[in-house]
């Protein structure tokens, strides 16, 4: 099974304190922001190795 296309949503100053992965190819609206209406989103969990600093992101829980 291959990987699905998507992108990480950046909510800026109005952020809830976490990022979300958004399904599908990034499409920009007329004002330059990402089109998000009706797109499924998943909360991102991050894990870091304390020895080598390797970082992995997972999007398993739909938000």
């Amino acid at each position: 099974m291959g990987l699905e296309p998507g992108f990480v949503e950046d909510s800026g100053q109005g952020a809830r304190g976490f990022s979300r992965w958004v399904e599908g190819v990034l499409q920009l609206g007329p004002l330059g922001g990402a089109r998000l209406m009706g797109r499924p989103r998943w909360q991102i969990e991050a894990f870091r190795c304390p020895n080598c600093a390797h970082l992995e992101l997972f999007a398993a829980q739909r938000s």
Side-chain angles (χ1 to χ4, degrees):
M1 177 184 248
L3 298 175
E4 296 178 279
F7 58 94
V8 176
E9 177 183 17
D10 176 14
S11 299
Q13 286 186 305
R16 297 182 183 114
F18 60 89
S19 294
R20 295 183 292 184
W21 181 83
V22 181
E23 183 180 300
V25 177
L26 175 62
Q27 296 175 340
L28 300 178
L31 300 177
R35 290 187 177 186
L36 300 171
M37 290 294 289
R39 290 181 175 223
R41 296 177 179 106
W42 283 264
Q43 185 171 330
I44 295 174
E45 294 182 13
F47 299 89
R48 180 183 174 273
C49 175
N51 296 320
C52 70
H54 175 81
L55 185 67
E56 291 199 18
L57 304 176
F58 295 89
Q61 182 176 341
R62 194 165 175 174
S63 61

